Coordinates of all heavy atoms in Angstrom, one line a residue:
L12 N 26.3 5.4 -9.9 CA 26.6 6.7 -9.2 C 26.8 6.3 -7.7 O 26.2 5.4 -7.2 CB 25.3 7.6 -9.4 CG 25.5 9.1 -9.3 CD1 26.6 9.6 -10.3 CD2 24.3 9.9 -9.6
G13 N 27.5 7.2 -7.1 CA 28.0 6.9 -5.8 C 27.0 6.6 -4.7 O 27.3 6.0 -3.7
F14 N 25.9 7.3 -4.7 CA 24.9 7.2 -3.6 C 24.4 5.7 -3.5 O 24.0 5.2 -2.4 CB 23.7 8.1 -3.8 CG 22.7 7.7 -4.9 CD1 21.5 7.0 -4.5 CD2 22.9 8.1 -6.3 CE1 20.7 6.7 -5.5 CE2 22.0 7.6 -7.1 CZ 20.8 7.0 -6.8
R15 N 24.3 5.0 -4.6 CA 23.7 3.7 -4.6 C 24.5 2.7 -3.6 O 24.0 2.2 -2.7 CB 23.6 3.1 -6.0 CG 22.6 3.8 -6.8 CD 22.6 3.3 -8.2 NE 21.5 3.9 -9.1 CZ 20.3 3.3 -9.3 NH1 19.9 2.3 -8.7 NH2 19.5 4.0 -10.1
F17 N 27.1 3.3 -1.6 CA 27.6 3.7 -0.3 C 26.4 3.9 0.6 O 26.5 3.8 1.8 CB 28.4 5.1 -0.5 CG 29.8 4.8 -0.9 CD1 30.3 5.2 -2.0 CD2 30.7 4.2 0.1 CE1 31.6 5.0 -2.4 CE2 32.0 4.0 -0.2 CZ 32.5 4.4 -1.5
F18 N 25.2 4.2 0.1 CA 24.0 4.4 1.0 C 23.6 2.9 1.5 O 23.3 2.8 2.7 CB 22.8 4.9 0.3 CG 22.9 6.4 0.1 CD1 24.0 7.2 0.5 CD2 21.8 7.2 -0.5 CE1 24.1 8.5 0.3 CE2 22.0 8.5 -0.6 CZ 23.0 9.2 -0.3
A62 N 29.7 7.1 9.0 CA 29.3 8.4 8.5 C 30.1 8.7 7.1 O 29.5 9.4 6.3 CB 29.7 9.5 9.5
T63 N 31.3 8.3 7.1 CA 32.1 8.6 5.8 C 31.5 7.9 4.6 O 31.6 8.4 3.5 CB 33.6 8.2 6.0 OG1 33.8 7.0 6.3 CG2 34.2 9.2 7.1
A64 N 30.9 6.7 4.9 CA 30.3 6.1 3.7 C 29.1 6.9 3.2 O 29.0 7.1 1.9 CB 29.8 4.7 4.1
I65 N 28.3 7.4 4.1 CA 27.1 8.2 3.6 C 27.6 9.5 3.0 O 27.1 10.0 2.0 CB 26.2 8.5 4.8 CG1 25.8 7.2 5.5 CG2 25.0 9.4 4.4 CD1 24.9 6.2 4.5
I66 N 28.6 10.2 3.6 CA 29.1 11.4 3.1 C 29.6 11.1 1.7 O 29.5 11.9 0.8 CB 30.2 11.9 4.0 CG1 29.7 12.5 5.3 CG2 31.1 13.0 3.3 CD1 30.7 12.8 6.4
A67 N 30.4 10.0 1.5 CA 30.9 9.7 0.1 C 29.8 9.5 -0.9 O 29.9 10.2 -1.9 CB 31.8 8.4 0.3
G68 N 28.8 8.8 -0.5 CA 27.7 8.7 -1.4 C 27.0 9.9 -1.7 O 26.6 10.1 -3.0
F69 N 26.8 10.7 -0.7 CA 26.2 12.0 -1.1 C 27.1 13.0 -2.0 O 26.6 13.4 -3.0 CB 25.8 12.8 0.2 CG 25.2 14.1 0.0 CD1 23.7 14.1 0.0 CD2 25.9 15.3 0.0 CE1 23.2 15.4 -0.3 CE2 25.3 16.5 -0.3 CZ 23.9 16.6 -0.5
L70 N 28.3 13.1 -1.7 CA 29.2 14.0 -2.4 C 29.4 13.5 -3.8 O 29.6 14.2 -4.7 CB 30.5 14.3 -1.6 CG 30.3 15.1 -0.3 CD1 31.7 15.2 0.4 CD2 29.7 16.4 -0.6
L71 N 29.6 12.2 -3.9 CA 29.9 11.6 -5.3 C 28.7 11.8 -6.1 O 28.8 11.7 -7.4 CB 30.3 10.2 -5.2 CG 31.7 9.9 -4.5 CD1 31.9 8.4 -4.3 CD2 32.8 10.5 -5.4
T72 N 27.5 12.0 -5.5 CA 26.4 12.3 -6.4 C 26.1 13.8 -6.6 O 25.6 14.2 -7.6 CB 25.1 11.6 -5.7 OG1 25.5 10.3 -5.5 CG2 23.9 11.8 -6.5
A73 N 26.4 14.6 -5.5 CA 26.1 16.0 -5.5 C 27.1 16.7 -6.4 O 26.8 17.6 -7.1 CB 26.1 16.6 -4.1
V74 N 28.5 16.4 -6.3 CA 29.4 17.2 -7.0 C 29.2 17.2 -8.5 O 29.4 18.2 -9.1 CB 30.8 16.7 -6.6 CG1 32.0 17.2 -7.6 CG2 31.2 17.0 -5.1
P75 N 28.9 16.0 -9.2 CA 28.6 16.1 -10.5 C 27.5 17.1 -10.9 O 27.5 17.7 -12.0 CB 28.2 14.7 -10.9 CG 28.9 13.8 -9.9 CD 28.8 14.6 -8.6
N76 N 26.5 17.2 -10.0 CA 25.4 18.1 -10.2 C 26.0 19.6 -10.1 O 25.6 20.5 -10.8 CB 24.3 18.0 -9.2 CG 23.4 16.7 -9.5 OD1 23.4 16.3 -10.7 ND2 22.9 16.2 -8.5
W77 N 26.9 19.8 -9.1 CA 27.4 21.2 -8.9 C 28.3 21.6 -10.1 O 28.4 22.6 -10.4 CB 28.3 21.2 -7.6 CG 27.4 20.9 -6.4 CD1 26.0 20.9 -6.2 CD2 27.9 20.5 -5.1 NE1 25.7 20.6 -5.0 CE2 26.8 20.4 -4.3 CE3 29.2 20.3 -4.6 CZ2 27.0 20.0 -2.9 CZ3 29.4 19.9 -3.2 CH2 28.2 19.8 -2.4
T78 N 29.1 20.5 -10.7 CA 30.1 20.9 -11.6 C 29.8 20.6 -13.1 O 30.4 21.1 -14.0 CB 31.4 20.1 -11.3 OG1 31.1 18.7 -11.4 CG2 31.9 20.3 -9.8
G79 N 28.7 19.8 -13.3 CA 28.4 19.4 -14.7 C 29.3 18.3 -15.2 O 29.3 18.0 -16.4
R80 N 30.2 17.8 -14.3 CA 31.1 16.8 -14.8 C 30.7 15.3 -14.5 O 29.8 15.2 -13.6 CB 32.5 17.0 -14.2 CG 33.2 18.3 -14.6 CD 34.4 18.5 -13.7 NE 35.4 17.6 -13.9 CZ 36.3 17.6 -14.8 NH1 36.4 18.7 -15.7 NH2 37.3 16.7 -14.9
P81 N 31.0 14.3 -15.3 CA 30.6 12.9 -15.0 C 31.0 12.5 -13.6 O 32.0 12.8 -13.2 CB 31.2 12.1 -16.0 CG 31.7 13.0 -17.1 CD 31.9 14.3 -16.4
G82 N 30.0 11.8 -12.9 CA 30.3 11.2 -11.6 C 31.1 9.9 -11.6 O 31.1 9.3 -12.7
L83 N 31.7 9.6 -10.5 CA 32.4 8.4 -10.5 C 31.5 7.2 -10.6 O 30.5 7.1 -10.0 CB 33.2 8.3 -9.1 CG 34.4 7.4 -9.0 CD1 35.6 8.0 -9.7 CD2 34.7 7.3 -7.4
L88 N 34.5 3.5 -9.1 CA 33.6 3.6 -8.0 C 33.6 2.2 -7.2 O 33.6 2.1 -6.0 CB 32.2 3.7 -8.4 CG 31.0 3.8 -7.3 CD1 31.4 4.8 -6.2 CD2 29.6 4.0 -8.0
L91 N 36.7 2.3 -5.0 CA 36.6 3.1 -3.7 C 35.7 2.4 -2.8 O 36.0 2.4 -1.6 CB 35.9 4.5 -4.2 CG 35.9 5.5 -3.0 CD1 37.3 5.8 -2.6 CD2 35.3 6.8 -3.5
F118 N 40.9 5.8 2.5 CA 39.6 6.2 2.0 C 39.3 7.7 1.9 O 38.9 8.2 0.8 CB 38.4 5.4 2.8 CG 37.1 5.7 2.3 CD1 36.7 5.1 1.2 CD2 36.3 6.6 3.0 CE1 35.3 5.4 0.7 CE2 35.0 6.9 2.6 CZ 34.6 6.3 1.4
L119 N 39.5 8.3 3.0 CA 39.2 9.8 3.0 C 40.1 10.5 2.0 O 39.6 11.4 1.2 CB 39.2 10.3 4.4 CG 38.1 10.1 5.3 CD1 38.3 10.5 6.7 CD2 36.8 10.8 4.7
L121 N 41.4 9.5 -0.8 CA 40.9 9.0 -2.1 C 39.6 9.8 -2.4 O 39.3 10.3 -3.6 CB 40.6 7.5 -2.2 CG 41.9 6.8 -2.4 CD1 41.7 5.2 -2.3 CD2 42.7 7.1 -3.6
L122 N 38.6 9.8 -1.4 CA 37.4 10.6 -1.6 C 37.7 12.1 -1.9 O 37.0 12.6 -2.8 CB 36.5 10.5 -0.4 CG 35.2 11.3 -0.4 CD1 34.3 10.8 -1.5 CD2 34.4 11.1 1.0
A123 N 38.6 12.7 -1.1 CA 39.0 14.1 -1.3 C 39.5 14.3 -2.8 O 39.1 15.3 -3.4 CB 39.9 14.5 -0.3
W124 N 40.3 13.4 -3.2 CA 40.8 13.5 -4.6 C 39.7 13.4 -5.6 O 39.6 14.2 -6.6 CB 41.9 12.5 -4.8 CG 42.5 12.4 -6.2 CD1 43.3 13.3 -6.8 CD2 42.0 11.5 -7.3 NE1 43.5 12.9 -8.2 CE2 42.7 11.9 -8.4 CE3 41.0 10.4 -7.3 CZ2 42.5 11.2 -9.6 CZ3 40.9 9.8 -8.6 CH2 41.5 10.2 -9.7
A125 N 38.8 12.5 -5.4 CA 37.7 12.2 -6.4 C 36.8 13.3 -6.6 O 36.4 13.7 -7.6 CB 36.9 11.0 -5.9
I126 N 36.5 14.0 -5.5 CA 35.6 15.3 -5.5 C 36.4 16.4 -5.8 O 35.9 17.4 -6.5 CB 34.7 15.4 -4.3 CG1 35.5 15.7 -3.1 CG2 33.9 14.1 -4.1 CD1 34.6 16.1 -1.8
G127 N 37.7 16.5 -5.2 CA 38.4 17.8 -5.4 C 38.9 18.0 -6.8 O 38.8 19.2 -7.2
R128 N 39.1 17.0 -7.6 CA 39.6 17.3 -9.0 C 38.4 17.9 -9.8 O 38.8 18.8 -10.6 CB 40.0 16.0 -9.5 CG 39.0 14.9 -9.7 CD 39.3 13.7 -10.4 NE 38.2 12.7 -10.5 CZ 38.2 11.6 -11.3 NH1 39.3 11.4 -12.1 NH2 37.1 10.9 -11.4
D129 N 37.2 17.5 -9.5 CA 36.1 18.1 -10.3 C 35.8 19.5 -9.8 O 35.4 20.3 -10.6 CB 34.9 17.1 -10.1 CG 35.0 15.8 -10.9 OD1 35.8 15.8 -11.8 OD2 34.3 14.9 -10.5
L130 N 35.8 19.7 -8.4 CA 35.5 21.1 -7.9 C 36.7 22.1 -8.5 O 36.3 23.2 -8.9 CB 35.6 21.0 -6.4 CG 34.4 20.3 -5.7 CD1 34.5 20.3 -4.2 CD2 33.0 20.9 -6.1
N138 N 32.3 25.8 -3.1 CA 32.2 24.4 -2.5 C 33.5 23.9 -1.9 O 33.6 22.7 -1.4 CB 31.8 23.4 -3.6 CG 30.3 23.6 -4.0 OD1 29.4 23.8 -3.1 ND2 30.0 23.8 -5.2
Y139 N 34.6 24.7 -1.9 CA 35.8 24.4 -1.3 C 35.7 24.1 0.1 O 36.5 23.2 0.6 CB 36.9 25.4 -1.6 CG 37.4 25.5 -3.0 CD1 36.9 24.6 -4.0 CD2 38.4 26.3 -3.4 CE1 37.4 24.6 -5.4 CE2 38.9 26.4 -4.7 CZ 38.4 25.5 -5.7 OH 38.9 25.6 -7.0
P140 N 34.9 24.7 0.9 CA 34.7 24.3 2.3 C 34.4 22.9 2.5 O 34.8 22.2 3.5 CB 33.6 25.3 2.9 CG 33.7 26.5 2.0 CD 34.0 25.9 0.6
V141 N 33.6 22.3 1.6 CA 33.3 20.8 1.7 C 34.6 20.0 1.7 O 34.8 19.1 2.3 CB 32.3 20.4 0.6 CG1 32.1 18.9 0.5 CG2 31.0 21.1 0.8
L142 N 35.5 20.4 0.7 CA 36.8 19.7 0.5 C 37.7 19.9 1.7 O 38.3 19.0 2.2 CB 37.5 20.2 -0.7 CG 38.7 19.5 -1.2 CD1 38.3 18.1 -1.6 CD2 39.2 20.2 -2.5
L143 N 37.6 21.1 2.3 CA 38.4 21.3 3.6 C 37.9 20.4 4.7 O 38.7 19.9 5.4 CB 38.2 22.8 4.0 CG 38.8 23.2 5.3 CD1 40.2 23.0 5.3 CD2 38.4 24.7 5.6
V144 N 36.6 20.3 4.8 CA 36.1 19.5 5.9 C 36.5 18.0 5.7 O 36.9 17.3 6.7 CB 34.5 19.5 5.9 CG1 33.9 18.4 6.9 CG2 34.0 20.9 6.4
I145 N 36.5 17.5 4.5 CA 37.0 16.1 4.2 C 38.5 16.0 4.6 O 38.9 15.0 5.2 CB 36.7 15.7 2.8 CG1 35.2 15.8 2.5 CG2 37.3 14.3 2.6 CD1 34.4 14.9 3.3
A146 N 39.3 17.0 4.2 CA 40.7 16.9 4.6 C 41.0 17.0 6.0 O 41.8 16.2 6.6 CB 41.4 18.1 3.9
M148 N 38.8 15.9 8.3 CA 38.3 14.6 8.8 C 39.5 13.6 8.7 O 39.7 12.8 9.6 CB 37.2 14.1 8.1 CG 35.9 14.9 8.7 SD 34.3 14.0 8.1 CE 34.5 12.4 9.1
L177 N 33.2 17.9 12.9 CA 33.4 18.3 11.4 C 32.2 17.7 10.6 O 31.8 18.4 9.7 CB 34.7 17.6 11.0 CG 35.9 18.3 11.4 CD1 37.2 17.4 11.1 CD2 36.1 19.7 10.8
V178 N 31.7 16.6 11.0 CA 30.5 16.1 10.3 C 29.3 17.2 10.5 O 28.6 17.5 9.6 CB 30.0 14.7 10.7 CG1 28.8 14.2 10.0 CG2 31.2 13.7 10.4
A180 N 29.7 20.3 10.9 CA 30.0 21.4 10.1 C 29.5 21.2 8.7 O 29.0 22.1 8.0 CB 31.5 21.8 10.2
L181 N 29.8 20.0 8.1 CA 29.4 19.6 6.8 C 27.9 19.6 6.7 O 27.4 20.2 5.6 CB 30.0 18.2 6.5 CG 29.8 17.7 5.1 CD1 30.4 18.7 4.0 CD2 30.2 16.3 4.9
M182 N 27.2 19.2 7.7 CA 25.8 19.1 7.6 C 25.2 20.6 7.8 O 24.2 20.9 7.3 CB 25.2 18.2 8.8 CG 25.5 16.8 8.4 SD 24.8 15.7 9.7 CE 24.9 14.1 8.8
V184 N 26.6 23.1 6.3 CA 26.9 23.7 5.0 C 25.7 23.0 4.1 O 25.0 23.7 3.4 CB 28.3 23.4 4.5 CG1 28.3 23.7 2.9 CG2 29.3 24.1 5.2
I185 N 25.6 21.7 4.0 CA 24.7 21.1 3.1 C 23.2 21.4 3.6 O 22.4 21.7 2.7 CB 25.0 19.5 3.1 CG1 26.5 19.3 2.7 CG2 23.9 18.9 2.2 CD1 26.8 19.8 1.3
G186 N 23.0 21.2 4.9 CA 21.7 21.4 5.4 C 21.2 22.9 5.1 O 20.0 23.1 4.7
R188 N 21.7 24.5 2.6 CA 21.4 24.6 1.2 C 20.2 23.8 0.8 O 19.2 24.3 0.1 CB 22.6 24.1 0.2 CG 23.8 25.0 0.4 CD 24.9 24.3 -0.6 NE 26.1 25.0 -0.4 CZ 27.2 24.5 -1.0 NH1 27.3 23.5 -1.8 NH2 28.4 25.1 -0.9
V189 N 20.1 22.6 1.3 CA 19.0 21.7 0.8 C 17.8 21.8 1.6 O 16.7 21.5 1.0 CB 19.5 20.3 0.7 CG1 20.7 20.2 -0.2 CG2 19.8 19.7 2.1
M313 N 18.1 12.1 4.9 CA 18.7 12.5 3.7 C 18.8 11.4 2.7 O 18.5 11.6 1.4 CB 20.1 13.2 3.9 CG 20.6 13.9 2.7 SD 19.7 15.4 2.3 CE 20.3 16.5 3.5
I314 N 19.2 10.2 3.1 CA 19.4 9.2 2.1 C 18.0 8.6 1.7 O 18.0 8.2 0.5 CB 20.2 8.0 2.8 CG1 19.6 7.3 3.9 CG2 21.7 8.5 3.1 CD1 20.4 6.2 4.5
V317 N 17.1 11.5 -1.0 CA 18.0 11.5 -2.1 C 17.9 10.2 -3.0 O 17.8 10.3 -4.3 CB 19.5 11.7 -1.7 CG1 20.5 11.4 -2.8 CG2 19.8 13.0 -1.1
H321 N 16.9 10.6 -6.9 CA 17.9 10.3 -8.0 C 17.6 8.9 -8.6 O 18.4 8.5 -9.6 CB 19.3 10.2 -7.3 CG 19.9 11.6 -7.3 ND1 20.6 12.3 -8.2 CD2 19.9 12.4 -6.2 CE1 20.9 13.5 -7.7 NE2 20.6 13.6 -6.5

Side-chain angles (χ1 to χ4, degrees):
L12 207 53
F14 76 96
R15 291 174 177 269
F17 279 115
F18 286 2
T63 58
I65 304 300
I66 289 169
F69 180 85
L70 291 179
L71 291 173
T72 305
V74 168
N76 289 334
W77 297 343
T78 62
R80 296 170 62 87
L83 203 68
L88 178 56
L91 190 60
F118 181 73
L119 282 171
L121 286 172
L122 175 62
W124 174 80
I126 65 172
R128 60 174 185 168
D129 290 340
L130 291 176
N138 291 307
Y139 285 1
V141 171
L142 192 58
L143 172 63
V144 171
I145 300 302
M148 282 195 68
L177 284 169
V178 176
L181 185 61
M182 290 183 164
V184 173
I185 302 300
R188 295 178 184 178
V189 303
M313 190 69 76
I314 63 178
V317 170
H321 281 277

